[in-house]
Amino acid sequence: MYKFFLLVFVMAVAIAGLGQTNRFTPGQVWTDDKGEVINAHGGGILWDKGRYYWFGEKRDRQLSRGVNVYSSKDLYHWKYEGEALSLSRDSTSEIAEGCVMERPKVIYNRKTGKYVLWFHLELRGQGYKAARAAVAVSDRVTGPYRYIRSFRPNENMSRDMTLFVDDDGSAYHIYSSRENYDLRIARLSDDYLSVTSADSLIARDHQEAPAVFKYQGGYYLITSGCTGWAPNKASLYTSASIFGPWQRRGNPMRGKNADLTFGGQSAYVLPLPGKKSDFIFIADQWNPKDLKDSRYLWLPVRWKDGLPYVEWKDQWSLAYTNAD
Ligand code: DGJ
């Protein structure tokens, strides 16, 4: 008899589990295939050969611990693939323990067949003074990535950043510069390993946390204000061309707590492959006392009158899509 109850109990747990996991629950603890809390902050997602790869900052309570990578087929369930980029054991390296690695993004270069990782690097013991972009490369999507170097793009300070690859394969580094008072964009070299001199101002606004996406030939940029780890109001910029002119269009967040981006800060906007108008807005809800415990906000991007907006949802699934 007890075997029957055990079977019913196991089935009930399995059914409840299935129901619970095929949805996003913004701000709740998110665990990987091993039951460990996902540690991939300020990150970005690469769609590669039928799988998604989530790269993000590996953090302990405060320190940077390298760049983690997870993989998934459905965006709900994530397998831990390990450290894509590890801290160097050589204490003279720029990426030795004590450095700060933020906002890692990986793109694939079709010409060279290499995966290229960019991130914001601060040097050990210098706070946020160095303001450099850093580059690493790998033959395999999950790494290990080989650290190449860091620099200031065209001599400009470079803190919060993202990468964007356009339909023609040209790639761009979008970054906060001049003590975060300028937002800039620089075109990458053909191998994606450095910037070209095509580097221009997006806006003379005090903004960071850039996330860029493209929809129906137009370019969209979501940013945050600059208040350290504390949440603030997001901004949307639009442009018909990647080098601008960019127009500021106000806060794209809607509903309760929208003026504080629901307690989060933009990290990335993920286009859903095969869907014309579906994007996921990805943000970090930082916990500055314990950065590894910072939570993730994944929310659907909706469209109204040709502009994107993001509304809070306690939970949602990919079935909740724009009609296309
Ligand atoms: C806000 C940035 O967006 C984060 O990536 C991080 O640099 C914090 N500031 C540090 O205060």
Side-chain angles (χ1 to χ4, degrees):
M1 189 65 174
Y2 98 96
K3 276 189 182 156
F4 172 75
F5 282 116
L6 188 65
L7 186 66
V8 171
F9 177 73
V10 169
M11 281 170 69
V13 168
I15 289 165
L18 279 175
Q20 266 169 13
T21 50
N22 277 347
R23 62 190 186 192
F24 302 106
T25 51
Q28 302 298 309
V29 170
W30 200 347
T31 51
D32 65 11
D33 59 320
K34 300 268 162 29
E36 299 289 330
V37 176
I38 293 177
N39 194 343
H41 311 281
I45 312 259
L46 179 70
W47 165 253
D48 186 65
K49 300 182 185 85
R51 268 179 214 272
Y52 299 94
Y53 294 89
W54 179 357
F55 295 85
E57 297 165 30
K58 179 179 181 182
R59 290 282 190 166
D60 62 18
R61 290 180 75 84
Q62 299 299 326
L63 292 179
S64 290
R65 289 278 161 215
V67 175
N68 269 339
V69 56
Y70 296 79
S71 68
S72 172
K73 280 198 157 171
D74 62 7
L75 294 172
Y76 303 112
H77 304 89
W78 292 91
K79 174 176 180 253
Y80 183 50
E81 298 281 358
E83 291 180 6
L85 178 67
S86 302
L87 292 176
S88 171
R89 291 208 194 97
D90 170 0
S91 62
T92 63
S93 162
E94 290 185 334
I95 60 162
E97 183 170 323
C99 74
V100 177
M101 290 180 180
E102 292 185 346
R103 299 186 175 269
K105 305 287 176 283
V106 171
I107 54 179
Y108 177 68
N109 189 303
R110 275 184 249 153
K111 284 187 193 148
T112 62
K114 308 262 185 214
Y115 297 87
V116 182
L117 163 67
W118 282 61
F119 58 98
H120 164 203
L121 177 70
E122 296 293 347
L123 304 176
R124 184 178 43 185
Q126 297 187 24
Y128 279 82
K129 210 168 116 237
R132 296 169 83 79
V135 183
V137 69
S138 172
D139 291 328
R140 295 183 57 228
V141 61
T142 50
Y145 284 74
R146 179 175 57 82
Y147 181 67
I148 302 179
R149 68 191 181 109
S150 77
F151 53 91
R152 284 184 165 187
N154 295 306
E155 313 306 322
N156 297 314
M157 294 176 83
S158 178
R159 289 197 182 125
D160 279 9
M161 53 139 285
T162 194
L163 298 178
F164 174 74
V165 182
D166 212 335
D167 304 328
D168 65 357
S170 48
Y172 301 87
H173 176 241
I174 296 94
Y175 61 108
S176 292
S177 195
R178 201 172 60 87
E179 303 288 359
N180 298 342
Y181 283 91
D182 286 350
L183 270 171
R184 299 192 63 87
I185 179 165
R187 188 179 164 146
L188 302 192
S189 54
D190 284 351
D191 60 8
Y192 298 171
L193 300 179
S194 58
V195 288
T196 66
S197 57
D199 182 325
S200 77
L201 189 69
I202 290 176
R204 190 138 277 186
D205 293 334
H206 195 202
Q207 296 288 294
E208 58 184 7
V212 176
F213 57 111
K214 187 176 187 183
Y215 176 51
Q216 291 187 341
Y219 298 88
Y220 299 83
L221 164 67
I222 296 179
T223 60
S224 77
C226 302
T227 51
W229 301 111
N232 56 51
K233 194 189 280 190
S235 287
L236 170 71
Y237 295 78
T238 61
S239 176
S241 131
I242 191 81
F243 277 116
W246 289 86
Q247 200 187 341
R248 199 170 181 179
R249 315 293 291 249
N251 180 9
M253 307 298 147
R254 296 282 174 275
K256 197 171 157 222
N257 215 12
D259 276 356
L260 288 180
T261 317
F262 319 113
Q265 184 186 33
S266 41
Y268 195 69
V269 174
L270 172 68
L272 292 180
K275 299 278 192 169
K276 286 198 289 291
S277 59
D278 286 352
F279 297 85
I280 301 178
F281 171 72
I282 295 176
D284 298 287
Q285 206 171 47
W286 297 113
N287 176 357
K289 294 207 177 92
D290 186 0
L291 286 172
K292 73 176 172 331
D293 183 47
S294 303
R295 303 288 164 80
Y296 310 103
L297 305 183
W298 288 37
L299 290 163
V301 172
R302 312 288 293 168
W303 295 87
K304 188 159 191 269
D305 302 328
L307 288 180
Y309 69 94
V310 178
E311 217 166 33
W312 178 259
K313 294 245 160 269
D314 286 337
Q315 52 174 280
W316 63 287
S317 76
L318 294 171
Y320 178 80
T321 56
N322 292 285
D324 60 349

